[in-house]
Amino acid sequence: PLFQAMESEISAAFDSGDPEDILSRAFKLTVTREDICTLQPLGWLNDRIMNFYMGLLVERSKKEGYPAVYAFNTFFYSKLSSTSHKGVKKWTKGVDIFEHDVILVPIHLRIHWTLLVVDLREKTIKYFDSLGQKGDHICKTVLKYLEEESREKRNIELTASEWTLHSMGTEEIPQQNNGSDCGVFVCKFADFISRDKPIIFTPEHMPYFRRKMVWEIIHQQLL
């Protein structure tokens, strides 16, 4: 019965009411029915859905037993890559990102979502792309950002040679089998990584993940 109730709630979010209806509000974001509808099969996830979901992951990471997670919003990387550290210096005002275990950087490349993950415990920067493209230059850009951020905020020099940068290969992470699931892949990569879990899902899980995310966003709670 619980599952049926959830299913009917998810269907109602897609089917009834005005596109402008607000279905969830948190993390200084409002999510409308129109936003939620990007989670329908083959929909392209928008910035609001991506940022809201990252907010849920950060919220969960405050509980005991989870790595401490910091997530940049989806506009961070494009700003960084076009302006350097100066342009995003204020984004971390009042925050020491180096006090976290994991930093998530969702990246929007014109028509494709990817994820960069900094693990401060292991000094690794990994790039996750469900279309298998390499992001070595993106890893380098973020390492440079971390060096400047550390110098500026903590007066500590990072030793670049101690860091491992790696673009995940197609044999290491699942790959999408259509042109629209990249956003869901990014959210689920981030979900598994932020629990220190191995990434074991497949493209076949995507329709289920999409529906689950609708419920989680509306209830502001990860299942």
Side-chain angles (χ1 to χ4, degrees):
L2 177 66
F3 191 67
Q4 279 170 329
M6 289 165 86
E7 273 298 333
S8 56
E9 201 177 351
I10 293 161
S11 297
F14 286 149
D15 299 334
S16 55
D18 196 296
E20 300 304 305
D21 290 344
I22 290 171
L23 300 189
S24 198
R25 197 186 257 126
F27 321 119
K28 299 182 182 159
L29 292 167
T30 52
V31 173
T32 65
R33 190 178 308 281
E34 190 175 5
D35 298 322
I36 284 287
C37 282
T38 66
L39 283 161
Q40 284 178 310
L42 303 183
W44 291 42
L45 271 54
N46 66 13
D47 289 285
R48 269 194 203 157
I49 294 292
M50 301 294 286
N51 287 323
F52 202 97
Y53 194 79
M54 295 296 149
L56 291 174
L57 296 177
V58 169
E59 217 33 56
R60 179 179 66 190
S61 81
K62 295 171 184 170
K63 293 183 190 159
E64 201 152 326
Y66 288 98
V69 173
Y70 184 82
F72 280 106
N73 85 25
T74 53
F75 304 105
F76 169 78
Y77 181 76
S78 55
K79 182 78 173 163
L80 170 67
S81 58
S82 64
T83 63
S84 81
H85 182 265
K86 278 197 307 294
V88 291
K89 202 163 70 173
K90 293 200 176 89
W91 290 47
T92 50
K93 201 172 173 206
V95 180
D96 181 356
I97 58 172
F98 298 97
E99 285 177 355
H100 298 79
D101 298 316
V102 174
I103 300 170
L104 303 171
V105 188
I107 295 172
H108 196 216
L109 303 168
R110 291 196 301 284
I111 55 166
H112 182 49
W113 289 108
T114 64
L115 179 70
L116 182 137
V117 178
V118 179
D119 191 321
L120 289 157
R121 301 164 297 185
E122 298 182 353
K123 297 190 179 173
T124 60
I125 299 177
K126 289 181 180 170
Y127 184 70
F128 294 75
D129 185 338
S130 53
L131 286 178
Q133 293 157 335
K134 296 273 176 242
D136 300 349
H137 64 292
I138 295 176
C139 294
K140 284 179 188 149
T141 302
V142 171
L143 178 58
K144 189 162 187 289
Y145 164 80
L146 292 173
E147 290 179 74
E148 292 175 9
E149 181 78 357
S150 179
R151 194 176 298 133
E152 186 124 334
K153 295 278 170 76
R154 310 187 297 169
N155 217 359
I156 295 174
E157 291 290 334
L158 284 194
T159 311
S161 59
E162 292 176 354
W163 284 74
T164 306
L165 280 50
H166 176 62
S167 291
M168 303 296 278
T170 52
E171 69 296 334
E172 294 176 280
I173 53 170
Q175 300 289 294
Q176 68 192 87
N177 55 9
N178 60 30
S180 51
D181 277 340
C182 54
V184 187
F185 270 85
V186 164
C187 289
K188 297 319 284 186
F189 287 149
D191 169 26
F192 279 65
I193 289 160
S194 64
R195 290 182 285 145
D196 280 336
K197 293 289 182 227
I199 293 167
I200 50 168
F201 59 83
T202 69
E204 283 64 51
H205 290 97
M206 291 300 131
Y208 162 69
F209 284 155
R210 282 174 175 271
R211 293 184 79 78
K212 185 172 168 225
M213 284 172 70
V214 173
W215 192 94
E216 291 173 327
I217 288 169
I218 290 172
H219 289 270
Q220 299 166 24
Q221 176 194 341
L222 292 170
L223 291 167

